Amino acid sequence: MEALSRTFLVHNKLGLHARPAASIAKLAQQAKSDIWLIKGDEKADAASIIDILTLACTQGTTIKVEITDHNDTSILENIASLFETSFGE
Amino acid sequence: MPNSVPEIRLAGFSGSPGVCIGQAYIIEKKGLDVIEKYHIQPEARYKEVNRLKKAVRKAKEELQHLIASTSTQVRDHVYILEAHMAMFKDKMLYTQAITAIEKEGLNAEWAVKKVSESVKSIFREIPDPYLRERADDITHVSELILHNLVCAEPVKISSIDKRVILVARDLSPAETLQIQLDKVKGFVTDGGGRASHASIIAKSLQIPSVLGCGDAMRLIQSDDIIIVDGINGLVIIHPSDRTLETYERLRSRYEKHKASVNRNAHLPAATNDHVTIRTKANIERPEEIVQVRDYGGDGIGLFRTEFMYIEGAGFPSECELFERYREIAEFMSPNPVTFRTLDINGDKIVPGANIQPEENPALGLRGIRFCLKRQNYFMDQIKAILRASAYGDIRILFPMISSMEEVLESKKLLAEAKDSLAKEGAKFNPDMPVGIMIEVPSAVILADELAKEVDFFSIGTNDLIQYALAIDRGNPQVAYLYDAMHPAILRMLKMVVDVCKKHNIEVCMCGEMAGEIQNLPLVLGLGMDELSINPPFIPEIKNIIRAVSQKETRAFVEEALKLTTSEQVYDLVQERYGHLFRLENA
């Protein structure tokens, strides 16, 4: 099955630090299958806050969020709105 | 009793300014320094896993309890504890530790230690300093688990019952947040970088602190008398009577100084030869407007308008923009507000939109370039700013100007916007002042021509220095070369100000350069009419303005302009004006 993905830019001044990473992980943990954050050729498990942090996404980084199960589309949408609102920061 | 122990001075860096003198209270994390390693037989491993699970559960309960009992003053920082909560069961920590017990037969303590060390080594490779320091979060979380595994009593700062100065290897956010201001005078840590949570929280608590001392835990014993000099980032152990006296004076002078700076924040800032320098604020969110008032800003010199674009879904309409701009105009009135038009690349507004990725966004389609390509959106913003001009002293500022064409094209759109509003019968100020940002070197060279077309210049030193010195401040390899006192920068600034005087237009400096007190003699001597800075810096900057004479700074800048290295400039500033920045001589 083809993976679904969307691409975002990190606006937050401090990058994807603990707070934004925690909110992504919280959503991703509800997914039926894996959700990946992809930066260049590295990827991180979106359900792991530590994995997201070690991906080191600074302000201005382009991040692709990829779901592997179509049933997780709504979670992808929720993650999208986090990015679009700069995680409320 | 003669003081037989020699005085020791230990250098760190200032976590937050201020001075305190008092007894040290050592925070030791007992039991965690020595962690035993032993082998678990295969049949006993499930028990060991359960022991880990139980410790994690208890650690979570403790943290949950702490979150619930945190005082309102530091509520804003609780999010970090919530992030820690989420880390307890993270697969890179929790699942990995369980695997290490099951597969390798490690005891739970060693498994946690091993896994957290390996995660921390990944963090150490991160170039961004802020994200790199998030390794501390892993330390704090694994310590909370370890406490429960070795049954050590966790540190309870909230139970301290006398006025002390905390001394610790490092303070976790959980610990820092327990600090009660009536009990803790200040704190000293061996670890903790400039971007550590302890440093950030220290600033919001406003208690004197020195971080990154390296050796404080070894040198300081419980109940030792120590001095925390948060102004100079210094800790003094066993101070001599003379040092105590000096610091007692410094402490009371600092407190008086702070009180007077804050008391005078609302008065205009005039040099001692009576030249008033308008000191305005840079802000980016409407909420910050309250701060502008609190800190005594003489208006808003730079309102960054990006927030409504980035935070909403897509481009806001003219009406939406106008409503917000009008609120800001009315709130600040009669003080002026300068709205800088959108200064980002389009990618930020419509994430994921098919905008070509740029290898060099700083040199890419941003600011006025983007706006002139998407004129319909630009028109909406210009019209919204014009309409707001009926409700206060409003000015418009175009960013990233690098050519005359961009100025003329922007002015043409502004004229069209006025025509269209006039036809609609909307109210606006037809003479709303128009300015441009001077932040691209080509605009400096062409300033003499550009000045004929606008009412004011605003110098954005952050970008100007970056572009002029070809330095990406976000790149740690070269960030140290970023230098406001670079002779080339001073000469460029001089060119711009001279052009403004010749054409009789106003010039404002709105970069970080204007908010740092040691640059002030140069900034004033160059002849800026106004400064625009982050609100919290306003009181201190106004204070320095009052202490100097413009005539003298002018002569001083003439001298500085003859110098050829940043170091010479820096030394000259220190020699002439250093006394203003050091409180001892205040």
Side-chain angles (χ1 to χ4, degrees), chain A residues 6-9 11 13-14 16-19 22 45 47-51 53-54 56-59 84-86 89, chain B residues 79-80 83 86-87 90-93 119 122-123 126 128 130-131 134 137-138 284-285 310-312 347-348 351-352:
Chain A
R6 287 189 58 179
T7 304
F8 309 98
L9 203 82
H11 301 307
K13 254 192 202 137
L14 297 174
L16 289 189
H17 62 100
R19 175 168 28 193
D45 182 347
S48 163
I49 168 172
I50 297 175
D51 213 11
L53 284 173
T54 52
C57 309
T58 47
Q59 186 181 35
E84 280 157 10
T85 56
S86 297
E89 286 186 349
Chain B
Y79 81 89
I80 188 61
M87 281 185 200
D90 194 282
K91 48 175 89 160
M92 285 184 66
L93 201 63
V119 171
I122 308 175
F123 275 96
I126 297 177
D128 180 77
Y130 183 80
L131 290 173
R134 294 316 104 214
D137 292 325
I138 311 296
E284 54 190 325
R285 284 163 189 276
I310 295 178
E311 293 178 357
D347 206 33
K348 284 202 173 176

Side-chain angles (χ1 to χ4, degrees), chain B residues 298-553:
Chain B
D298 307 321
I300 297 170
L302 176 66
F303 193 98
R304 302 187 175 98
T305 58
E306 289 73 40
F307 77 103
M308 282 185 73
Y309 293 85
I310 295 178
E311 293 178 357
F315 287 87
S317 68
E318 176 193 323
C319 274
E320 285 167 339
L321 291 169
F322 165 62
E323 284 306 321
R324 299 304 279 277
Y325 295 171
R326 175 184 163 172
E327 278 172 39
I328 294 155
E330 285 179 333
F331 191 91
M332 272 325 284
S333 186
N335 283 320
V337 179
T338 301
F339 286 100
R340 183 184 68 187
T341 60
L342 191 58
D343 185 22
I344 41 174
N345 45 6
D347 206 33
K348 284 202 173 176
I349 303 167
V350 197
N354 276 336
I355 289 165
Q356 298 207 335
E358 297 185 322
E359 209 154 288
N360 251 322
L363 307 179
L365 184 66
R366 55 171 283 207
I368 201 73
R369 305 169 185 177
F370 173 77
C371 289
L372 291 175
K373 277 218 169 171
R374 298 290 195 95
Q375 295 197 354
N376 46 338
Y377 301 124
F378 193 30
M379 273 305 255
D380 285 343
Q381 188 179 30
I382 295 176
K383 284 163 96 179
I385 296 172
L386 270 169
R387 286 170 67 189
S389 73
Y391 298 88
D393 180 356
I394 301 304
R395 296 147 195 214
I396 192 168
L397 175 62
F398 298 119
M400 272 293 283
I401 295 290
S402 62
S403 70
M404 182 60 97
E405 288 89 333
E406 287 165 346
V407 178
L408 296 177
E409 179 78 7
S410 305
K411 282 180 66 183
K412 196 181 109 210
L413 291 175
L414 181 65
E416 282 171 22
K418 286 180 187 172
D419 282 348
S420 138
L421 286 179
K423 276 189 201 122
E424 292 165 27
K427 280 193 297 176
F428 63 91
N429 170 13
D431 303 315
M432 177 176 72
V434 179
I436 55 172
M437 290 287 288
I438 301 290
E439 52 189 337
V440 179
S442 62
V444 175
I445 308 287
L446 208 58
D448 201 19
E449 302 300 330
L450 301 176
K452 296 174 188 161
E453 295 295 332
V454 296
D455 304 303
F456 67 95
F457 279 174
S458 196
I459 307 177
T461 52
N462 298 10
D463 275 336
L464 183 61
I465 297 174
Q466 242 184 170
Y467 291 132
L469 303 182
I471 285 158
D472 174 5
R473 266 213 300 180
N475 178 347
Q477 315 247 45
V478 295
Y480 72 97
L481 292 168
Y482 180 94
D483 187 358
M485 292 194 190
H486 194 295
I489 299 299
L490 297 185
R491 290 175 196 206
M492 289 175 102
L493 295 173
K494 176 81 163 88
M495 272 181 73
V496 176
V497 177
D498 284 350
V499 162
C500 292
K501 302 292 167 202
K502 179 176 148 200
H503 293 275
N504 199 23
I505 66 170
E506 280 185 9
V507 58
C508 172
M509 180 184 280
C510 66
E512 279 167 29
M513 182 177 180
E516 284 163 13
I517 56 175
Q518 71 270 23
N519 296 333
L520 248 277
L522 292 167
V523 170
L524 293 181
L526 282 164
M528 299 297 157
D529 298 308
E530 47 179 75
L531 308 178
S532 194
I533 56 188
N534 287 341
F537 300 150
I538 292 171
E540 197 69 58
I541 290 290
K542 281 187 161 184
N543 196 47
I544 299 274
I545 292 173
R546 295 185 186 110
V548 298
S549 119
Q550 198 188 46
K551 210 174 140 213
E552 276 171 32
T553 55

Side-chain angles (χ1 to χ4, degrees), chain A residues 25-63:
Chain A
K26 207 169 161 188
L27 288 172
Q29 281 159 10
Q30 300 158 13
K32 293 181 180 58
S33 186
D34 291 336
I35 297 186
W36 300 103
L37 295 195
I38 301 165
K39 173 183 133 185
D41 45 15
E42 293 171 89
K43 65 181 190 175
D45 182 347
S48 163
I49 168 172
I50 297 175
D51 213 11
I52 300 173
L53 284 173
T54 52
L55 198 58
C57 309
T58 47
Q59 186 181 35
T61 310
T62 307
I63 295 293

Side-chain angles (χ1 to χ4, degrees), chain B residues 59-80:
Chain B
K60 282 186 83 170
E61 280 167 15
E62 281 167 14
L63 195 59
Q64 191 65 61
H65 183 74
L66 179 65
I67 291 172
S69 64
T70 304
S71 69
T72 48
Q73 188 172 16
V74 282
R75 272 264 158 231
D76 287 353
H77 298 289
V78 163
Y79 81 89
I80 188 61

Side-chain angles (χ1 to χ4, degrees), chain B residues 555-574:
Chain B
F556 167 72
V557 161
E558 289 307 320
E559 258 182 85
L561 282 166
K562 294 191 186 116
L563 302 174
T564 52
T565 70
S566 310
E567 205 184 328
Q568 289 166 349
V569 176
Y570 178 84
D571 288 345
L572 187 68
V573 170
Q574 287 302 321

Side-chain angles (χ1 to χ4, degrees), chain B residues 23-27 155-167 171 175 178-180 182-186:
Chain B
Q23 274 187 323
Y25 186 100
I26 311 283
I27 295 177
V155 185
K156 280 227 170 59
I157 293 174
S158 56
S159 64
I160 294 172
D161 58 357
K162 45 184 182 179
R163 295 266 297 153
V164 291
I165 297 171
L166 302 182
V167 179
L171 285 175
E175 289 153 356
Q178 291 176 50
I179 290 177
Q180 288 173 312
D182 52 336
K183 294 282 160 49
V184 174
K185 290 181 173 182

